[in-house]
Amino acid sequence: MDIIFYHPTFDIPFWIAELEKHIPGAKVREWKSGDKGPADYALVWHPPVEMLQGRTLKAVFALGAGVDSILSQLKAHPEMLPETTPLFRLEDTGMAEQMQEYAVSQVLHWFRRFDDYQQQKNAVNWQPLPEYHREDFTIGILGAGVLGSKVAESLLAWGFPVRCWSRSRKNWPNVTSFAGKDALPDFLRETRVLINLLPNTPETVGIINASLLNQLRDACYVLNLARGVHVIEADLLQALERGKVKGAMLDVFSQEPLPAESPLWKHPRVAITPHVAAVTRPAQAIEVISRTILQLERGEPVRGQVDRQLGY
């Protein structure tokens, strides 16, 4: 079995050694430009078109939870990968736990009014503030996949009301589910903290815009953990300026790294992290990919295959 591997930043020798250890008989090599050698599987992140074009592969694995970069390339170069070639993404390789940590820590930060206390500290103002109440602090999760379900679970443990919105209705214990465009206004109406975990699809680009933000509760909060293209940054800044949105925590941006001239850097109610909410953990990812490849070789059912029409 031949496996080609491409990632611009990963420790390639480590991945190759571990994959060969986990998949008996596999020969794994780093793909480089000009490599037209045999390949049964490809493991990729933002792959060059040349890497996949013209190959007959049993499957392609994206080395992350999102596959939008590959799907975008396929729109421009549909010949890059035949429709019949299965495309897989990493549903959870330690990413759910990281998302839980990130979401819970930030929701509690806002709930305990630490953002307000930081503002008071900057103004040298010693003044206890009224407490928020959990029943008034409804968490709304946009996107109800594997990561969304885990984030919902972790927030329920803290006693917050939790709701989710997605393409199809979910049956999650103690979570109110909304589905489809017609249900979006009802989902937004009582949401105090909006957590975005949507996939990047043509339907979701720019979804967090002025219209959506205006439908949230006053003095709401926005936490974007999905993709920068989901947020119209100018609309978010305007909502922050007039107080509709009280605070935003952003991990992803339309342009990364975020340009130094972006007004988001200096806004006192915006917190920023450099796309680190959940990263691929090599040991867990290698285990999942190896197991999936072996299951495919045995003709067994597998998880994580992407529906290219839906985009996830």
Side-chain angles (χ1 to χ4, degrees):
M1 180 194 308
D2 293 290
I3 300 174
I4 50 177
F5 187 98
Y6 178 85
H7 196 292
T9 61
F10 277 4
D11 182 348
I12 305 297
F14 171 82
W15 275 78
I16 289 175
E18 289 298 309
L19 286 164
E20 290 184 343
K21 186 188 301 182
H22 281 73
I23 308 173
K27 296 179 181 179
V28 186
R29 70 182 186 275
E30 179 184 5
W31 180 88
K32 296 181 179 179
S33 182
D35 181 347
K36 299 294 183 182
D40 299 296
Y41 297 93
L43 280 53
V44 302
W45 188 248
H46 296 282
V49 173
E50 176 195 356
M51 179 182 182
L52 303 178
Q53 196 169 24
R55 292 187 181 276
T56 302
L57 296 163
K58 294 180 180 180
V60 173
F61 289 82
L63 296 169
V67 292
D68 40 297
S69 67
I70 296 177
L71 295 178
S72 295
Q73 285 176 304
L74 282 171
K75 284 185 179 179
H77 305 277
E79 75 283 358
M80 183 176 82
L81 197 64
E83 282 285 345
T84 53
T85 302
L87 176 62
F88 290 87
R89 64 186 179 94
L90 299 179
E91 288 189 325
D92 180 19
T93 53
M95 286 181 278
E97 182 181 55
Q98 295 172 75
M99 286 292 191
Q100 288 177 319
E101 294 166 350
Y102 197 116
V104 169
S105 65
Q106 189 57 38
V107 168
L108 291 176
H109 181 87
W110 286 324
F111 179 69
R112 291 299 308 271
R113 305 197 65 170
F114 293 148
D115 56 331
D116 292 320
Y117 284 121
Q118 181 62 34
Q119 297 289 315
Q120 290 191 173
K121 178 258 187 185
N122 293 339
V124 197
N125 180 15
W126 180 284
Q127 177 64 50
L129 296 169
E131 294 182 351
Y132 289 147
H133 301 286
R134 279 175 171 77
E135 60 268 26
D136 298 324
F137 220 75
T138 298
I139 315 297
I141 301 173
L142 282 173
V146 172
L147 298 180
S149 69
K150 294 298 184 180
V151 168
E153 180 183 293
S154 65
L155 289 165
L156 284 170
W158 286 92
F160 292 105
V162 179
R163 52 181 51 195
C164 68
W165 179 84
S166 57
R167 182 187 297 269
S168 58
R169 192 173 298 278
K170 305 300 178 184
N171 186 25
W172 296 348
N174 302 312
V175 175
T176 306
S177 176
F178 297 81
K181 290 182 178 180
D182 291 343
L184 186 57
D186 290 336
F187 163 81
L188 296 169
R189 190 171 297 115
E190 296 301 322
T191 293
R192 181 70 183 275
V193 179
L194 184 71
I195 301 178
N196 179 36
L197 286 167
L198 286 167
N200 180 8
T201 69
E203 292 77 21
T204 63
V205 170
I207 190 171
I208 302 178
N209 53 32
S211 174
L212 181 144
L213 294 170
N214 285 335
Q215 295 177 72
L216 292 165
R217 287 185 56 182
D218 290 341
C220 61
Y221 300 92
V222 174
L223 177 57
N224 189 16
L225 302 175
R227 287 289 185 267
V229 295
H230 290 138
V231 177
I232 304 299
E233 292 175 1
D235 290 358
L236 176 59
L237 282 164
Q238 186 179 55
L240 284 159
E241 287 302 315
R242 58 189 180 85
K244 177 66 179 184
V245 175
K246 188 176 180 184
M249 182 79 180
L250 308 174
D251 183 59
V252 288
F253 304 89
S254 296
Q255 184 178 345
E256 296 183 359
L258 183 65
E261 62 272 17
S262 171
L264 291 169
W265 282 113
K266 295 182 179 180
H267 198 288
R269 288 290 181 173
V270 174
I272 289 171
T273 51
H275 205 146
V276 296
V279 299
T280 300
R281 289 179 170 163
Q284 290 163 288
I286 288 166
E287 182 180 344
V288 168
I289 292 169
S290 300
R291 181 173 64 246
T292 304
I293 287 176
L294 291 172
Q295 289 172 326
L296 288 169
E297 289 292 299
R298 295 192 294 262
E300 298 173 359
V302 295
R303 292 175 53 88
Q305 185 169 348
V306 173
D307 183 322
R308 295 199 205 176
Q309 298 305 313
L310 296 180
Y312 55 89

